[in-house]
Amino acid sequence: MRHHRRLVSNTWGAEDRRSGGDFLDILTLRVYAFSMTLSARNRLAGEIIELEFGGVMAHVVVRVGTDLIESVITKRSAEEMKLKIGDKVSAVIKSTEVMLEKS
């Protein structure tokens, strides 16, 4: 518990308390700011054309040019990102293997 209090004290500064911001919102924004840099090289910009929520997971279909990329992410992540059909997103692919097929 002491560690948690120290984390809260160090993370939620006086300026955040004065702004009236909710601690969890402020902490979430700061965590996202740290997680924005990725080592993945394969980013495909597209638009969400389908979004289906299940109990725990969300199925997202992104149109990239004439192709579709499907992703299954947690429902919580989709809700936190406030994803909706028509949103512009990047499909970031991080893999040890990428298979190619000649057409």
Side-chain angles (χ1 to χ4, degrees), residues 31-97:
V31 168
Y32 274 106
F34 287 120
S35 65
M36 295 301 261
T37 303
L38 296 174
S39 62
R41 299 276 185 234
N42 302 307
R43 290 174 184 257
L44 305 171
E47 179 179 333
I48 296 176
I49 62 165
E50 290 180 37
L51 181 60
E52 191 176 316
F53 290 96
V56 178
M57 304 303 286
H59 178 243
V60 185
V61 180
V62 178
R63 178 173 302 286
V64 177
T66 58
D67 298 312
L68 302 178
I69 297 202
E70 297 187 39
S71 178
V72 177
I73 63 174
T74 63
K75 180 179 175 183
R76 181 177 181 175
S77 291
E79 290 170 343
E80 287 176 356
M81 294 173 69
K82 297 179 178 144
L83 295 180
K84 61 187 180 305
I85 292 175
D87 280 353
K88 304 291 186 203
V89 296
S90 291
V92 180
I93 301 166
K94 179 74 174 179
S95 177
T96 57
E97 282 185 48

Side-chain angles (χ1 to χ4, degrees), residues 13-30:
E15 69 279 359
D16 295 326
R17 287 190 293 276
R18 282 193 301 271
S19 73
D22 177 71
F23 168 71
L24 289 177
D25 289 339
I26 293 166
L27 183 60
T28 300
L29 287 173
R30 288 187 177 199

